[in-house]
mmCIF file of all heavy atoms in Angstrom:
data_model
loop_
_atom_site.group_PDB
_atom_site.id
_atom_site.type_symbol
_atom_site.label_atom_id
_atom_site.label_comp_id
_atom_site.label_asym_id
_atom_site.label_seq_id
_atom_site.Cartn_x
_atom_site.Cartn_y
_atom_site.Cartn_z
ATOM 1 N N MET A 279 9.199 -7.218 28.816
ATOM 2 C CA MET A 279 10.014 -8.130 27.880
ATOM 3 C C MET A 279 11.365 -8.380 28.507
ATOM 4 O O MET A 279 12.086 -7.422 28.869
ATOM 5 C CB MET A 279 10.173 -7.393 26.546
ATOM 6 C CG MET A 279 10.899 -8.251 25.502
ATOM 7 S SD MET A 279 10.788 -7.466 23.855
ATOM 8 C CE MET A 279 11.725 -5.974 24.156
ATOM 9 N N SER A 280 11.683 -9.674 28.700
ATOM 10 C CA SER A 280 12.983 -10.003 29.339
ATOM 11 C C SER A 280 14.095 -9.896 28.287
ATOM 12 O O SER A 280 13.928 -10.117 27.110
ATOM 13 C CB SER A 280 12.926 -11.424 29.866
ATOM 14 O OG SER A 280 12.675 -12.376 28.864
ATOM 15 N N THR A 281 15.226 -9.499 28.756
ATOM 16 C CA THR A 281 16.464 -9.376 27.889
ATOM 17 C C THR A 281 17.630 -10.040 28.545
ATOM 18 O O THR A 281 17.649 -10.352 29.777
ATOM 19 C CB THR A 281 16.800 -7.926 27.678
ATOM 20 O OG1 THR A 281 17.078 -7.254 28.891
ATOM 21 C CG2 THR A 281 15.613 -7.165 26.980
ATOM 22 N N SER A 282 18.665 -10.240 27.756
ATOM 23 C CA SER A 282 19.935 -10.840 28.234
ATOM 24 C C SER A 282 20.995 -10.054 27.638
ATOM 25 O O SER A 282 20.801 -9.167 26.760
ATOM 26 C CB SER A 282 19.976 -12.312 27.813
ATOM 27 O OG SER A 282 20.262 -12.390 26.411
ATOM 28 N N PRO A 283 22.264 -10.230 28.113
ATOM 29 C CA PRO A 283 23.384 -9.490 27.508
ATOM 30 C C PRO A 283 23.587 -9.664 26.064
ATOM 31 O O PRO A 283 24.183 -8.810 25.381
ATOM 32 C CB PRO A 283 24.611 -10.022 28.315
ATOM 33 C CG PRO A 283 24.013 -10.496 29.591
ATOM 34 C CD PRO A 283 22.643 -11.061 29.222
ATOM 35 N N THR A 284 22.982 -10.709 25.493
ATOM 36 C CA THR A 284 23.112 -10.977 24.029
ATOM 37 C C THR A 284 21.977 -10.432 23.242
ATOM 38 O O THR A 284 21.974 -10.542 21.996
ATOM 39 C CB THR A 284 23.307 -12.458 23.728
ATOM 40 O OG1 THR A 284 22.147 -13.148 24.251
ATOM 41 C CG2 THR A 284 24.549 -12.991 24.419
ATOM 42 N N THR A 285 20.945 -9.841 23.930
ATOM 43 C CA THR A 285 19.773 -9.324 23.205
ATOM 44 C C THR A 285 20.200 -8.070 22.469
ATOM 45 O O THR A 285 20.773 -7.142 23.029
ATOM 46 C CB THR A 285 18.696 -9.002 24.204
ATOM 47 O OG1 THR A 285 18.287 -10.136 24.968
ATOM 48 C CG2 THR A 285 17.470 -8.461 23.491
ATOM 49 N N PRO A 286 19.887 -8.002 21.168
ATOM 50 C CA PRO A 286 20.220 -6.803 20.385
ATOM 51 C C PRO A 286 19.613 -5.556 21.017
ATOM 52 O O PRO A 286 18.461 -5.610 21.606
ATOM 53 C CB PRO A 286 19.644 -7.057 19.014
ATOM 54 C CG PRO A 286 19.544 -8.538 18.876
ATOM 55 C CD PRO A 286 19.244 -9.041 20.328
ATOM 56 N N LEU A 287 20.279 -4.404 20.895
ATOM 57 C CA LEU A 287 19.819 -3.226 21.542
ATOM 58 C C LEU A 287 18.389 -2.857 21.235
ATOM 59 O O LEU A 287 17.614 -2.483 22.063
ATOM 60 C CB LEU A 287 20.782 -2.047 21.179
ATOM 61 C CG LEU A 287 20.427 -0.667 21.725
ATOM 62 C CD1 LEU A 287 20.437 -0.640 23.259
ATOM 63 C CD2 LEU A 287 21.402 0.367 21.227
ATOM 64 N N TRP A 288 18.014 -2.977 19.895
ATOM 65 C CA TRP A 288 16.683 -2.557 19.482
ATOM 66 C C TRP A 288 15.583 -3.433 20.055
ATOM 67 O O TRP A 288 14.391 -3.095 19.973
ATOM 68 C CB TRP A 288 16.573 -2.510 17.990
ATOM 69 C CG TRP A 288 16.952 -3.775 17.246
ATOM 70 C CD1 TRP A 288 16.090 -4.772 16.927
ATOM 71 C CD2 TRP A 288 18.233 -4.178 16.879
ATOM 72 N NE1 TRP A 288 16.811 -5.784 16.294
ATOM 73 C CE2 TRP A 288 18.115 -5.458 16.243
ATOM 74 C CE3 TRP A 288 19.467 -3.530 16.907
ATOM 75 C CZ2 TRP A 288 19.263 -6.134 15.740
ATOM 76 C CZ3 TRP A 288 20.586 -4.246 16.415
ATOM 77 C CH2 TRP A 288 20.460 -5.502 15.810
ATOM 78 N N LEU A 289 15.920 -4.610 20.646
ATOM 79 C CA LEU A 289 14.980 -5.440 21.308
ATOM 80 C C LEU A 289 15.003 -5.363 22.818
ATOM 81 O O LEU A 289 14.313 -6.044 23.514
ATOM 82 C CB LEU A 289 15.210 -6.910 20.873
ATOM 83 C CG LEU A 289 15.068 -7.240 19.374
ATOM 84 C CD1 LEU A 289 15.335 -8.712 19.149
ATOM 85 C CD2 LEU A 289 13.692 -6.877 18.894
ATOM 86 N N GLN A 290 15.789 -4.440 23.311
ATOM 87 C CA GLN A 290 15.893 -4.259 24.758
ATOM 88 C C GLN A 290 14.934 -3.165 25.270
ATOM 89 O O GLN A 290 14.800 -2.962 26.464
ATOM 90 C CB GLN A 290 17.311 -3.810 25.136
ATOM 91 C CG GLN A 290 18.357 -4.898 24.919
ATOM 92 C CD GLN A 290 19.744 -4.496 25.316
ATOM 93 O OE1 GLN A 290 19.919 -3.677 26.264
ATOM 94 N NE2 GLN A 290 20.741 -5.008 24.670
ATOM 95 N N GLY A 291 14.214 -2.512 24.377
ATOM 96 C CA GLY A 291 13.208 -1.543 24.795
ATOM 97 C C GLY A 291 13.644 -0.106 24.581
ATOM 98 O O GLY A 291 14.870 0.151 24.478
ATOM 99 N N ALA A 294 16.290 1.485 26.988
ATOM 100 C CA ALA A 294 17.680 1.030 26.742
ATOM 101 C C ALA A 294 18.280 1.729 25.587
ATOM 102 O O ALA A 294 19.465 2.103 25.608
ATOM 103 C CB ALA A 294 17.700 -0.499 26.561
ATOM 104 N N HIS A 326 -0.110 -7.325 27.690
ATOM 105 C CA HIS A 326 0.594 -8.453 26.991
ATOM 106 C C HIS A 326 1.640 -9.102 27.868
ATOM 107 O O HIS A 326 2.361 -8.424 28.640
ATOM 108 C CB HIS A 326 1.293 -7.917 25.706
ATOM 109 C CG HIS A 326 0.363 -7.191 24.777
ATOM 110 N ND1 HIS A 326 -0.785 -7.769 24.320
ATOM 111 C CD2 HIS A 326 0.456 -5.917 24.261
ATOM 112 C CE1 HIS A 326 -1.392 -6.896 23.528
ATOM 113 N NE2 HIS A 326 -0.655 -5.768 23.488
ATOM 114 N N ALA A 327 1.769 -10.422 27.772
ATOM 115 C CA ALA A 327 2.845 -11.143 28.492
ATOM 116 C C ALA A 327 4.199 -10.571 28.030
ATOM 117 O O ALA A 327 4.366 -10.255 26.846
ATOM 118 C CB ALA A 327 2.740 -12.610 28.227
ATOM 119 N N PRO A 328 5.155 -10.424 28.935
ATOM 120 C CA PRO A 328 6.413 -9.775 28.594
ATOM 121 C C PRO A 328 7.129 -10.304 27.355
ATOM 122 O O PRO A 328 7.731 -9.542 26.605
ATOM 123 C CB PRO A 328 7.258 -10.020 29.823
ATOM 124 C CG PRO A 328 6.256 -10.101 30.948
ATOM 125 C CD PRO A 328 5.108 -10.833 30.314
ATOM 126 N N ASP A 329 7.096 -11.592 27.124
ATOM 127 C CA ASP A 329 7.831 -12.135 25.977
ATOM 128 C C ASP A 329 6.894 -12.557 24.837
ATOM 129 O O ASP A 329 7.317 -13.245 23.908
ATOM 130 C CB ASP A 329 8.612 -13.394 26.403
ATOM 131 C CG ASP A 329 9.746 -13.015 27.337
ATOM 132 O OD1 ASP A 329 10.452 -12.017 27.067
ATOM 133 O OD2 ASP A 329 9.938 -13.669 28.332
ATOM 134 N N SER A 330 5.672 -12.012 24.816
ATOM 135 C CA SER A 330 4.740 -12.337 23.761
ATOM 136 C C SER A 330 5.127 -11.546 22.495
ATOM 137 O O SER A 330 5.804 -10.534 22.562
ATOM 138 C CB SER A 330 3.302 -11.942 24.192
ATOM 139 O OG SER A 330 3.193 -10.513 24.358
ATOM 140 N N LEU A 331 4.642 -12.034 21.360
ATOM 141 C CA LEU A 331 4.893 -11.362 20.120
ATOM 142 C C LEU A 331 4.308 -9.959 20.128
ATOM 143 O O LEU A 331 4.909 -8.998 19.617
ATOM 144 C CB LEU A 331 4.342 -12.196 18.928
ATOM 145 C CG LEU A 331 4.628 -11.666 17.517
ATOM 146 C CD1 LEU A 331 6.130 -11.443 17.300
ATOM 147 C CD2 LEU A 331 4.031 -12.597 16.497
ATOM 148 N N ALA A 333 4.024 -7.950 22.759
ATOM 149 C CA ALA A 333 4.924 -7.073 23.575
ATOM 150 C C ALA A 333 6.149 -6.740 22.726
ATOM 151 O O ALA A 333 6.658 -5.589 22.800
ATOM 152 C CB ALA A 333 5.294 -7.769 24.843
ATOM 153 N N ILE A 334 6.723 -7.689 22.024
ATOM 154 C CA ILE A 334 7.918 -7.432 21.177
ATOM 155 C C ILE A 334 7.607 -6.429 20.088
ATOM 156 O O ILE A 334 8.352 -5.444 19.866
ATOM 157 C CB ILE A 334 8.432 -8.789 20.624
ATOM 158 C CG1 ILE A 334 8.958 -9.590 21.764
ATOM 159 C CG2 ILE A 334 9.573 -8.505 19.605
ATOM 160 C CD1 ILE A 334 9.295 -11.048 21.323
ATOM 161 N N SER A 337 7.181 -2.950 21.475
ATOM 162 C CA SER A 337 8.490 -2.362 21.884
ATOM 163 C C SER A 337 9.258 -1.876 20.670
ATOM 164 O O SER A 337 9.850 -0.777 20.736
ATOM 165 C CB SER A 337 9.276 -3.433 22.651
ATOM 166 O OG SER A 337 10.531 -2.933 22.999
#
Side-chain angles (χ1 to χ4, degrees):
M279 185 171 63
S280 60
T281 61
S282 73
T284 59
T285 301
L287 178 60
W288 55 92
L289 297 179
Q290 294 180 32
H326 305 305
D329 292 317
S330 66
L331 185 54
I334 293 170
S337 177

